[in-house]
Amino acid sequence: FSLLLLNLEEYYFEQHTANHITNKGCRDERKFRGSLKICSKSIIFEPDDNNQPIIKIPLRDCVSIKAPEDNEANNPIIRDTSGGISVVCNQAFLIKERNIIAPYKTVRGRTEHLFQLDVAWKLGDVVRTLHQLYRASCLDKMGDQAAMITAILQSRLARTSFDKNRFQSISETLHMECKAEMVTPLVTNPGHVCVTDANLYFQPLNGYPKPVVQITLQNVRRIYKRRHGLMPLGLEVFCTENDLCSDIYLKFYNYQDRDELYYLIATYIENHITEHTAESYMLQWQRGHISNYQYLLHLNNLADRSCNDLSQYPVFPWIIADYSSSVLDLTKPETFRDLSKPIGALNKERLDRLLKRYQEMPEPKFMYGSHYSSPGYVLFYLVRVAPEYMLCLQNGKFDHADRMFNSLAETWKNCLDGATDFKELIPEFYENDSSFLVNSLKLDLGKRQGGKMVEDVELPPWASGPDDFLQKNQEALESQYVSEHLHEWIDLIFGCKQKGSEAVAAHNVFHSLTYEGGVDLNSILDPNEKVALLTQILEFGQTPKQLFTTPHPRRIIPKLKSLSRAPSLSVSIAESPVSPNEESFEDLTEESITLAWNNIAKLKLDEQYKIHKEAITGIAVTSNGSSVFTTSQDSTLKMFSRESKTTQRSVSFSNMALSSCLILPGDTTVITSSWDNHIYFYSIAFGRRQDTLMGHDDAVSKVCWRDGRLYSASWDSTVKVWHCAPGDTSSNKKHHFELLAELEHDVSVNTIDLNAANTLLASGTKEGTISVWDVAAATVLHQLPCHSGTVFDAAFSPDSRHLLSTGEDSCFKVIDVQTGMLISSVTTDEPQRCFKWDGNTILSGSQSGELLIWDLLGGKVMERIKGHAGAVVSMWMNEQCNSVITGGEDKQIMFWKLQY
């Protein structure tokens, strides 16, 4: 017996040990021991002897159900059955005879079945229940049937409660108890859910498959709210990080119960783990920390796709388009399917026919009359390992032999040419278990035209066997071509081309009922219409929840270094017989930077000095590292000598605070920005102010210098770009300033940064907006309301793919520079005032004075280092990333060294 023997939307209520008596009173009377199961639409008898078939009697096919006390003298059908129930029916099904999975055998014609219960006093209750369920099954309309069965179920649930004796420990504290159903593919099992301070329990009403399911909260790794039957009533719990299948999937009777349970578990586990968003997985995927397979798995999970719900099973793309060659060449683009098009648009002739029909169609229009993922398609692929699911879905029958999953090449060809076949693949094609391709259960799946039996799936010539086929599929999914194009398929299935005008342009329009929000079940008052519509939607297939509304960023494909240069890394430059070329130096710098960031948690405080009277706002260091220039809110610029460990100069330009400083190439000039609206040029050699740029109408908050250009940000709501022709202090020749561009903002600009190529500028405002500008065109490319409150700091990653910002709202935000999409948000305990990062790891200075090291992809703090006595407001890092200087509100500068 399994719940798959029930009809769809049927419940299994109770079971009784009983004998099934055939031909009672005759010479060939036989008695079979077993279990009588009362279900909402059928009576099922499971014999103890596996060779005997399971008998399933649909209640709607019953003529009478009686017990001895119902005996009327004038009824010839009833005989004394001594504690038995007589069921007379017109049709019954024999299932799994000799324990072989095969299509159900139908027994037609009037037959009497006698069931003798071991516990005779339960007879009256059982018969009353069967009469009640029989009345429900005789109602004409599906909606009325469903309503009556639901009422019977709810009354049973109300009469029972969770058995507290099932708790693992007597000291457990109960937090919540409610009614729910455990969901597995094609079936749901009602019962009671219970959450304590240590465990989540589910106790099925029928005690099947075991009396209680228990999950230790400490083991929970992920938890997702689910849409089940189009309603926000599902909850799925995983005790693993990357598995496809969950540990339990529950469906509740109201969303309040679901949300309360979610809150209880989420509150418990948030102390242990961080909840991942689509954006955080995207960042990990872009940077190569998770594979294409893992990323698709996570996106499916976040989009409500679950292995427990065949109408929302995880969807994976067809990748390979070549099923005829003897060798699979993954270096040729033509080996691959075009991932920028849905299956239905891959064949132009077919698409033209579909578009012609689409244009002539009344609203709501659709291009494809079937979906790319549905229960039928999932079981089409899995019939060899999940035959009972196929029999459950198709009323006890397998599909026609010629319509089975017989060959990869045939199935791919049908997806390209078939008038109604647009299906994608399932995750199993990219995993390690090849059993779904092999008929190891020796199922009789029928005979094809031409007399050939349906056996194993026919593989392409390039695969030596099922395992090799999956191995090559995995290689194809992780190949460079797919990594470069997978974002296009994600746009179609989970992203901006899933709905609306973008979907029309991409030829990606399915029936309106398949989309989330396509129908509001609560607005349909007629129960029959509601049941019919729900059945249609669940069988037809559903489009995943939309995860992205802007184009999905590409994956960052690392440029592989040529192997000829590798040895130069292991030979020190001194030993190298040839003078090393520039590339080797670049490589060594890159290696040392990677090494430094890998060991950034080993930062140690070297020395500290109190040199200012107020907070230190800017730090700049000469190229040889001997002199450190600092600016402060005390209005002074100071020059500190590392050698003598003393302040050698102190300059004041006005009585207003200074906000930042930088040293021009050549170490001759320091530029400082001031709250008095001016920018000052200070000559190091001559020890005096060389020039003043009166460039703004309010405080200048930050200056940057790149390639002869000065970039200044101000509270006057502008960022200005200046060309500076150098002056000559000895001849009193002034700098010549030419305003090249003015980048207008709505509010005060607090910080700016430029990318490595100096083509993009990022700005952060006092109201939390981040803008990315095209410097040459002086136009804004992206503008996002990232933070609530001031943006304290913003910086591009070294590869310029991402922009990180931090603000008054205690959040780190990551923007994908190409698309302008906000792809990650990490909430911190307190505001982080300044930072440095390498694209993966962040070193930040906090409001409380600590230095924090963050794993951005994991969204967690890896190390806390005690630092200043007040907020860390400025930070400098050398090019090798192994030396750091911080300035704080405690008026100190601190020198940090990496020690590894």
Side-chain angles (χ1 to χ4, degrees):
F1 173 77
S2 95
L3 294 176
L4 292 166
L5 301 184
L6 276 57
N7 293 359
L8 295 176
E9 306 293 314
E10 184 175 8
Y11 296 112
Y12 163 35
F13 285 143
E14 59 191 61
Q15 69 162 352
H16 303 276
T17 313
N19 290 316
H20 176 220
I21 301 167
T22 58
N23 306 323
K24 180 157 178 73
C26 304
R27 266 205 320 219
D28 54 351
E29 177 182 318
R30 294 186 68 189
K31 194 182 273 194
F32 298 101
R33 194 107 182 91
S35 159
L36 181 69
K37 299 174 194 298
I38 311 299
C39 307
S40 58
K41 296 179 183 179
S42 57
I43 302 167
I44 294 176
F45 181 77
E46 179 191 18
D48 292 346
D49 178 356
N50 276 351
N51 286 315
Q52 293 300 318
I54 292 171
I55 298 164
K56 176 178 175 178
I57 305 168
L59 286 167
R60 64 164 190 272
D61 291 323
C62 290
V63 178
S64 72
I65 301 167
K66 297 202 173 182
E69 57 265 34
D70 301 330
N71 201 343
E72 295 136 9
N74 60 355
N75 190 331
I77 297 175
I78 300 301
R79 304 177 189 88
D80 175 24
T81 56
S82 46
I85 300 170
S86 156
V87 178
V88 179
C89 62
N90 288 325
Q91 179 171 265
F93 298 104
L94 305 183
I95 303 169
K96 288 176 89 168
E97 197 167 357
R98 298 194 306 284
N99 209 16
I100 292 169
I101 299 167
Y104 304 169
K105 286 183 183 162
T106 311
V107 179
R108 292 193 174 85
R110 183 172 285 215
T111 324
E112 182 184 13
H113 296 269
L114 293 174
F115 300 105
Q116 203 170 39
L117 302 191
D118 277 16
V119 185
W121 60 264
K122 285 189 176 175
L123 199 64
D125 286 345
V126 172
V127 172
R128 273 192 292 280
T129 301
L130 285 173
H131 281 166
Q132 211 178 7
L133 293 167
Y134 171 70
R135 282 199 298 279
S137 70
C138 290
L139 294 170
D140 289 342
K141 295 182 172 172
M142 293 296 288
D144 297 341
Q145 279 186 33
M148 188 166 171
I149 288 168
T150 301
I152 295 167
L153 170 65
Q154 289 303 328
S155 127
R156 282 177 161 254
L157 285 168
R159 289 199 304 271
T160 54
S161 63
F162 187 88
D163 177 4
K164 308 296 186 295
N165 294 322
R166 294 283 178 186
F167 282 178
Q168 290 284 300
S169 151
I170 51 168
S171 61
E172 278 184 68
T173 311
L174 175 67
H175 284 325
M176 177 193 179
E177 183 183 344
C178 67
K179 300 176 287 189
E181 294 175 13
M182 185 165 137
V183 178
T184 49
L186 299 181
V187 284
T188 62
N189 202 11
H192 295 276
V193 167
C194 209
V195 185
T196 68
D197 52 354
N199 293 291
L200 164 68
Y201 298 97
F202 175 75
Q203 187 171 30
L205 194 59
N206 50 32
Y208 180 88
K210 53 185 181 179
V212 73
V213 177
Q214 177 243 330
I215 286 172
T216 308
L217 292 181
Q218 217 167 344
N219 295 339
V220 174
R221 286 289 159 273
R222 294 176 291 148
I223 175 169
Y224 298 99
K225 289 182 181 179
R226 293 280 184 235
R227 189 175 47 132
H228 186 271
L230 300 197
M231 304 292 277
L233 300 173
L235 188 73
E236 194 161 20
V237 178
F238 291 79
C239 292
T240 54
E241 229 18 282
N242 291 313
D243 272 17
L244 185 61
C245 296
S246 64
D247 291 77
I248 194 167
Y249 186 144
L250 296 167
K251 174 202 165 189
F252 296 81
Y253 296 112
N254 61 63
Y255 71 86
Q256 292 92 338
D257 283 348
R258 192 275 304 264
D259 290 352
E260 188 182 344
L261 190 85
Y262 177 87
Y263 172 76
L264 283 170
I265 299 178
T267 308
Y268 182 91
I269 66 174
E270 74 183 6
N271 306 321
H272 308 271
I273 56 171
T274 48
E275 188 178 355
H276 285 291
T277 58
E279 289 76 20
S280 67
Y281 284 125
M282 179 203 291
L283 187 62
Q284 292 188 47
W285 171 74
Q286 266 197 293
R287 295 208 160 271
H289 288 250
I290 56 175
S291 64
N292 292 338
Y293 167 80
Q294 286 171 315
Y295 186 44
L296 289 177
L297 212 54
H298 289 310
L299 291 185
N300 271 289
N301 244 323
L302 290 165
D304 272 346
R305 312 303 283 189
S306 163
C307 288
N308 283 310
D309 184 350
L310 294 187
S311 67
Q312 299 189 89
Y313 202 77
V315 56
F316 268 60
W318 282 95
I319 294 291
I320 298 168
D322 174 3
Y323 293 94
S324 55
S325 303
S326 54
V327 176
L328 187 68
D329 186 348
L330 295 179
T331 61
K332 291 194 325 200
E334 50 271 30
T335 298
F336 298 93
R337 164 259 180 104
D338 182 347
L339 287 161
S340 68
K341 294 176 181 175
I343 291 291
L346 292 175
N347 176 341
K348 190 174 180 314
E349 282 176 36
R350 176 176 68 174
L351 179 64
D352 289 342
R353 289 197 300 274
L354 293 167
L355 289 178
K356 188 171 183 297
R357 186 189 70 172
Y358 172 75
Q359 268 127 30
E360 294 162 359
M361 200 182 279
E363 292 292 347
K365 298 175 170 212
F366 54 87
M367 291 172 190
Y368 309 115
S370 68
H371 205 256
Y372 49 76
S373 172
S374 71
Y377 289 160
V378 173
L379 296 177
F380 167 85
Y381 291 126
L382 297 181
V383 64
R384 289 169 179 78
V385 284
E388 290 182 86
Y389 291 88
M390 173 74 92
L391 293 171
C392 175
L393 188 70
Q394 304 209 139
N395 300 318
K397 300 183 191 74
F398 287 133
D399 206 346
H400 188 280
D402 286 301
R403 286 198 297 270
M404 285 276 185
F405 179 31
N406 291 307
S407 134
L408 256 305
E410 261 179 45
T411 303
W412 171 244
K413 186 178 183 310
N414 209 46
C415 288
L416 287 182
D417 304 339
T420 59
D421 194 349
F422 313 108
K423 60 179 167 285
E424 290 280 9
L425 294 182
I426 54 175
E428 281 78 357
F429 280 83
Y430 301 100
E431 289 171 358
N432 299 318
D433 183 357
S434 61
S435 57
F436 74 101
L437 300 167
V438 183
N439 185 12
S440 53
L441 295 174
K442 300 285 176 262
L443 301 166
D444 181 357
L445 296 171
K447 200 177 277 188
R448 303 188 61 183
Q449 284 177 347
K452 196 177 171 194
M453 295 300 290
V454 175
E455 284 297 340
D456 298 348
V457 178
E458 201 178 300
L459 302 172
W462 46 256
S464 62
D467 290 342
D468 183 54
F469 170 75
L470 291 190
Q471 173 69 37
K472 289 196 164 78
N473 258 5
Q474 289 169 19
E475 287 166 16
L477 180 61
E478 303 304 333
S479 67
Q480 177 148 349
Y481 177 89
V482 174
S483 289
E484 286 170 359
H485 294 277
L486 189 59
H487 64 282
E488 298 171 333
W489 186 81
I490 291 168
D491 280 341
L492 295 169
I493 307 298
F494 303 105
C496 62
K497 294 182 180 175
Q498 190 201 79
K499 299 179 186 174
S501 56
E502 292 265 19
V504 176
H507 305 131
N508 194 34
V509 182
F510 295 86
H511 195 289
S512 61
L513 287 181
T514 67
Y515 295 96
E516 185 176 26
V519 60
D520 177 9
L521 282 181
N522 290 326
S523 67
I524 300 168
L525 301 175
D526 181 345
N528 302 303
E529 191 186 332
K530 188 182 279 192
V531 167
L533 195 61
L534 187 57
T535 306
Q536 183 187 346
I537 290 164
L538 298 184
E539 286 180 7
F540 189 85
Q542 294 174 71
T543 301
K545 186 157 108 188
Q546 191 173 21
L547 299 177
F548 310 107
T549 51
T550 54
H552 191 287
R554 294 164 172 269
R555 193 171 199 186
I556 299 166
I557 311 294
K559 292 181 179 64
L560 295 169
K561 294 177 182 171
S562 64
L563 293 171
S564 60
R565 278 167 34 205
S568 71
L569 301 177
S570 54
V571 181
S572 79
I573 290 171
E575 295 165 3
S576 181
V578 273
S579 67
N581 59 17
E582 274 180 49
E583 288 181 317
S584 302
F585 275 126
E586 262 176 42
D587 270 3
L588 285 167
T589 308
E590 210 173 290
E591 293 281 316
S592 66
I593 289 172
T594 305
L595 185 65
W597 276 103
N598 286 345
N599 289 280
I600 201 80
K602 295 175 183 167
L603 264 188
K604 295 283 182 290
L605 181 60
D606 195 21
E607 37 194 19
Q608 65 191 89
Y609 304 96
K610 190 168 179 178
I611 57 173
H612 281 279
K613 295 188 178 124
E614 293 291 341
I616 292 163
T617 54
I619 303 168
V621 181
T622 52
S623 51
N624 62 5
S626 64
S627 299
V628 178
F629 287 86
T630 55
T631 51
S632 165
Q633 286 183 3
D634 65 9
S635 82
T636 61
L637 166 72
K638 293 191 189 263
M639 175 175 148
F640 180 85
S641 163
R642 288 297 302 268
E643 247 169 273
S644 66
K645 302 185 182 354
T646 56
T647 303
Q648 294 192 326
R649 294 186 196 173
S650 181
V651 191
S652 221
F653 302 111
S654 75
N655 60 357
M656 299 283 275
L658 297 178
S659 57
S660 72
C661 63
L662 59 88
I663 299 178
L664 291 189
D667 289 346
T668 56
T669 306
V670 178
I671 302 178
T672 69
S673 54
S674 170
W675 283 10
D676 67 3
N677 313 356
H678 298 349
I679 297 163
Y680 296 101
F681 289 67
Y682 173 80
S683 165
I684 298 173
F686 290 88
R688 65 171 190 244
R689 182 170 68 186
Q690 194 179 343
D691 228 323
T692 305
L693 170 58
M694 296 181 238
H696 288 277
D697 302 323
D698 203 339
V700 183
S701 50
K702 188 165 178 189
V703 284
C704 295
W705 177 276
R706 296 284 178 87
D707 284 352
R709 291 185 177 184
L710 176 69
Y711 301 82
S712 58
S714 167
W715 296 355
D716 68 5
S717 309
T718 67
V719 173
K720 291 183 179 178
V721 185
W722 311 87
H723 179 263
C724 298
D728 183 353
T729 312
S730 58
S731 63
N732 273 342
K733 185 181 166 214
K734 299 284 187 191
H735 280 75
H736 173 66
F737 303 109
E738 181 193 348
L739 182 63
L740 299 178
E742 190 168 325
L743 312 179
E744 293 277 0
H745 295 69
D746 296 333
V747 290
S748 302
V749 183
N750 202 51
T751 187
I752 52 172
D753 187 51
L754 282 115
N755 69 341
N758 307 328
T759 52
L760 301 174
L761 178 140
S763 60
T765 72
K766 284 202 167 179
E767 287 188 1
T769 304
I770 293 282
S771 305
V772 178
W773 300 80
D774 177 332
V775 175
T779 54
V780 70
L781 300 174
H782 311 296
Q783 199 163 47
L784 287 94
C786 275
H787 298 274
S788 51
T790 302
V791 178
F792 287 137
D793 202 358
F796 287 96
S797 57
D799 61 10
S800 302
R801 294 297 187 105
H802 295 122
L803 175 69
L804 177 67
S805 61
T806 178
E808 204 177 344
D809 57 359
S810 305
C811 283
F812 279 122
K813 304 277 177 141
V814 182
I815 293 170
D816 180 79
V817 174
Q818 178 206 354
T819 59
M821 186 191 282
L822 181 65
I823 61 170
S824 185
S825 181
V826 176
T827 306
T828 64
D829 294 341
E830 56 175 339
Q832 304 299 308
R833 297 291 297 271
C834 53
F835 67 83
K836 299 291 175 192
W837 75 311
D838 72 338
N840 300 316
T841 307
I842 308 168
L843 169 67
S844 69
S846 73
Q847 185 75 32
S848 62
E850 284 183 313
L851 294 191
L852 272 66
I853 291 149
W854 298 81
D855 166 18
L856 179 61
L857 301 172
K860 57 181 183 283
V861 178
M862 296 192 294
E863 195 71 48
R864 291 174 181 270
I865 304 169
K866 245 182 127 37
H868 292 266
V872 185
V873 282
S874 52
M875 186 182 289
W876 172 89
M877 181 183 256
N878 68 342
E879 198 186 335
Q880 286 75 34
C881 307
N882 58 13
S883 173
V884 172
I885 304 172
T886 55
E889 280 184 352
D890 59 0
K891 308 156 196 171
Q892 301 212 69
I893 55 168
M894 292 188 172
F895 294 86
W896 305 82
K897 273 229 170 73
L898 259 194
Q899 300 188 339
Y900 56 86

